[in-house]
Amino acid sequence: MKKYFKRGLSLALASVMMVGLLTGCGGSGSSDSSSSKAEPAGSGNLTVYTAFPEAEVITYLNAFEEESGIKIDYIRLSAGEMLTRVAAEKDNPQAALMLGGSTDNYIAAAEQDLLEPYQAADLSDTPEQYIDPDGVWSPIYVGAICFACNKEWFEEKGYDYPTSWADLLDPKYEGQIIMAHPATSGTAYTVLATLIQLMGEEEAYDYMQKLSKNITQFTKSGSAAPNGVALGEAAIALTFSHDGLQPTAEGYPIELSFPTDGTGYEVGAAAVIKGAPEDQQEAAKQFIDWMCSKAGQDLYATNSSFRVPVNTKADVAEGLVTLDSVDVIDYDAVWAAGQKADATAKFEEKIAEAPEE
């Protein structure tokens, strides 16, 4: 059996634990405003399921709470776990907002009638190709799949960074590549869906079988893969560019390379969960409006998230990797959403559960 959810170390694990202690318990969090402040007119409560890294999401939640007075509880899940949880709670929703993660999860959620259709009040500064034509979810960022490389490891070995998908099959990378599992991670599913769209189904699974010989582990969360590279557990992570760059804010030696033969990308999204209490649905809509605004998206440039804003008026961090600077394919998120159950089952059978040779 292939390596699956092994060490699972997380960069800044200690700081995340501290955040949990300071902001909540049991995997959820909240932040308190000063009691000396006047209670804003929009005061209420909002429970959020989010696929953002925990150390990042508190920036957005705290800023929104400060502006709106709405008290937020949140639970951090991988994108796949978030969808599974919302589906399991369909008859009794425990949260009102899905936040972050690729749109294929939101398309799948919409097909399961899990979402209350809502689109941000003003998307006039957002390119049309990022907007849901059905008006169910709202776009909040974009990012491309990359190879996040440990600079020190490559310098020590004297190797150049890989620049194609074929490069990753080189035996010199045996045990040096890390990625998440497509069943639990939206990032990893985007990798798998990219390869299928790029190569065709049969060739993509054949490629993944060969690649698995070089993979040291499949993590549960997509952001855990670049953290493993930062900590020296692997030399290359298959991840989104924003997640690949995040460890560099803490001084870790990671540089990005992109496959010149084509790479996929995600449009990150937010949506209102159907059936949540009405007042929480209104709070969720208010949050989505704010997150799509320049004020909300300006935070990407100030919190070292390295996310590309979809609002063209928003500030862009220096050195940010934008989609027009890499060779992205015409990624079909609707197709990817429709194929997810079948594709992840085949991955489990052919790759994750395949016997070691």
Side-chain angles (χ1 to χ4, degrees):
M1 183 182 295
K2 293 297 178 185
K3 288 123 344 230
Y4 181 40
F5 298 174
K6 283 171 58 178
R7 288 164 290 180
L9 290 177
S10 172
L11 175 76
L13 176 60
S15 64
V16 168
M17 291 176 65
M18 183 60 69
V19 167
L21 290 170
L22 291 174
T23 60
C25 60
S28 65
S30 63
S31 53
D32 297 326
S33 300
S34 172
S35 59
S36 64
K37 294 183 178 180
E39 193 73 7
S43 181
N45 297 285
L46 176 62
T47 302
V48 178
Y49 291 159
T50 181
F52 279 123
E54 193 162 2
E56 176 189 350
V57 73
I58 57 173
T59 300
Y60 316 130
L61 302 185
N62 285 347
F64 176 72
E65 182 175 306
E66 180 73 18
E67 180 171 316
S68 68
I70 294 172
K71 308 297 182 184
I72 298 178
D73 291 317
Y74 67 94
I75 296 177
R76 199 279 165 186
L77 302 161
S78 70
E81 289 174 319
M82 183 167 62
L83 176 59
T84 298
R85 184 158 184 163
V86 172
E89 296 173 353
K90 180 177 182 178
D91 295 331
N92 185 26
Q94 300 299 300
L97 179 68
M98 285 177 61
L99 177 63
S102 301
T103 51
D104 51 27
N105 284 288
Y106 291 79
I107 294 167
E111 290 176 347
Q112 297 176 52
D113 197 28
L114 301 176
L115 303 179
E116 185 68 31
Y118 181 74
Q119 212 157 51
D122 184 7
L123 291 175
S124 59
D125 295 317
T126 299
E128 185 177 356
Q129 66 263 34
Y130 301 149
I131 298 175
D132 177 18
D134 296 324
V136 177
W137 47 264
S138 297
I140 56 176
Y141 64 87
V142 292
I145 293 293
C146 72
F147 308 150
C149 303
N150 186 302
K151 179 182 177 182
E152 292 180 350
W153 187 89
F154 276 87
E155 287 181 344
E156 179 183 339
K157 297 293 186 181
Y159 298 154
D160 294 328
Y161 295 143
T163 58
S164 71
W165 292 102
D167 286 348
L168 299 182
L169 301 182
D170 194 313
K172 69 187 180 186
Y173 296 132
E174 183 177 356
Q176 292 296 334
I177 299 176
I178 185 171
M179 66 175 285
H181 194 293
T184 59
S185 163
T187 303
Y189 182 65
T190 303
V191 172
L192 179 59
T194 294
L195 292 171
I196 295 173
Q197 293 181 48
L198 188 64
M199 302 176 177
E201 182 175 343
E202 184 176 348
E203 186 175 346
Y205 285 109
D206 181 64
Y207 171 86
M208 284 301 307
Q209 287 174 333
K210 295 174 182 176
L211 180 65
S212 68
K213 297 176 182 178
N214 287 346
I215 291 179
T216 178
Q217 61 175 302
F218 296 112
T219 63
K220 183 167 69 172
S221 168
S223 60
N227 292 345
V229 170
L231 296 172
E233 296 179 343
I236 305 167
L238 305 187
T239 188
F240 284 119
S241 54
H242 41 262
D243 289 331
L245 286 173
Q246 278 195 0
T248 65
E250 302 295 328
Y252 288 93
I254 290 181
E255 293 187 345
L256 306 187
S257 177
F258 293 86
T260 57
D261 44 345
T263 192
Y265 67 94
E266 72 166 341
V267 179
V272 180
I273 297 172
K274 186 174 184 178
E278 186 174 346
D279 60 337
Q280 284 216 22
Q281 287 195 16
E282 290 305 311
K285 293 174 183 178
Q286 188 175 341
F287 182 91
I288 290 171
D289 288 347
W290 175 83
M291 194 71 196
C292 291
S293 71
K294 173 175 164 52
Q297 301 227 322
D298 278 349
L299 294 177
Y300 295 151
T302 62
N303 73 344
S304 301
S305 72
F306 299 99
R307 295 184 189 273
V308 179
V310 294
N311 187 317
T312 57
K313 297 292 181 64
D315 296 338
V316 178
E318 184 178 353
L320 203 62
V321 181
T322 57
L323 264 61
D324 59 2
S325 65
V326 298
D327 297 306
V328 294
I329 66 171
D330 186 16
Y331 184 81
D332 189 340
V334 175
W335 174 89
Q339 296 295 313
K340 187 169 186 177
D342 183 59
T344 54
K346 287 182 179 178
F347 181 90
E348 185 72 12
E349 175 189 355
K350 296 176 176 290
I351 313 301
E353 294 293 339
E356 297 279 7
E357 295 181 357

